[in-house]
Amino acid sequence: MSDVYILIPHLRIQNANALSSPFTIGFPAMTAWLGAIHALQRKLNAQDIPVEFEGVGVVSHKFDLQTYKGYGDFGYSIIGMANPVDKDGSRPAFIEEARCHLEASLVIRYENCESLYEDELLAKIEHQLRSGMKMAGGDIIDLDKPSLHRDFNRLKTKLMPGYAIIERRELMIEAMERGQDALDAMLDYLVIHHQCEMTGEGEQSTVTWKSARKETGHEGQRGWIVPIATGFHGISELGQAKNQRNPDTPHRFVESIVTLGEFKMPYKLDTAEELFWRYHFDLENNLYLCQQTGAGTTLTTPDSTLHKTGF
């Protein structure tokens, strides 16, 4: 048994869900990516393919947020997808949804089963992805042929050029330990600070403007920091709800959890563990999370509490 990496390269996805949380818009939530790979594994298991996925890495190559800003407009507007007109010719009511077109590569870590033919696994994966399967709520338009890798350093070259999404929740933790509010701590790393310096005197004076974000790494480095939705927090007790989707699964109301992430070029990753996201369930605090560090469950443990409690 050995660790093997499945590369699903250059997924072209159209109209993916860009409303990753109630107050952020942009790259799809990590729960959407892990949920799609969880669904993929369940489809494979239903075909008697005994594979268990242990982690997912997401690398973005292209991202096109569907917004519009007209001449003289102060802000951007969502490009909505209107429903067909009613019988009387009027537009029906609808909820605006933020969408995006993107190209991304997924790296799946799994424990190789010696009885499983690798070519058969790759063919089944490609077939499922091309058979109308959704990814982050969007339609898969095309993808390159999946492949298997055992050397992470070689795999990194296949992910370039691109940006891997990395969790940076330690920035939030450090700021909140210094007394900042959670939202203030997040905004502090996202805002752009403008400063000016004046040199010389009188008519010979010049003003130089500098714009930069807050330092996020060692030696004054500034990373590409973004807000990312990484899970849910239970705000009610487990129980039954009227018209819930699965009557056999306990239900609870939740709210989104948003933290900071960083887009980082794959060649800067030292180990494979820096890339992979996994499920993590915190029973004490009612947290359903996608994390990159700490103990986490696999995507498919059938008897885990994470999968017994719907969210």
Side-chain angles (χ1 to χ4, degrees), residues 185-196:
M186 176 178 294
L187 293 176
D188 196 25
Y189 283 98
L190 299 178
V191 298
I192 300 176
H193 301 277
H194 303 281
Q195 293 180 336
C196 66

Side-chain angles (χ1 to χ4, degrees), residues 1-2 4 50-51 110-118 150:
M1 308 289 277
S2 60
V4 183
V51 64
Y110 84 108
E111 193 173 82
N112 186 26
C113 179
E114 296 178 358
S115 63
L116 185 64
Y117 291 103
E118 295 179 347
R150 290 176 172 81

Side-chain angles (χ1 to χ4, degrees), residues 168 170-195 210-226 260-262:
R168 295 300 306 274
E170 78 278 0
L171 297 176
M172 294 279 293
I173 294 174
E174 293 171 0
M176 294 175 69
E177 287 177 347
R178 295 194 297 267
Q180 276 190 295
D181 174 80
L183 187 58
D184 289 337
M186 176 178 294
L187 293 176
D188 196 25
Y189 283 98
L190 299 178
V191 298
I192 300 176
H193 301 277
H194 303 281
Q195 293 180 336
K210 294 182 179 180
S211 301
R213 282 186 169 186
K214 186 176 181 179
E215 296 178 0
T216 58
H218 301 291
E219 300 178 357
Q221 297 179 357
R222 296 181 178 89
W224 184 2
I225 301 297
V226 294
L260 291 174
E262 179 180 354

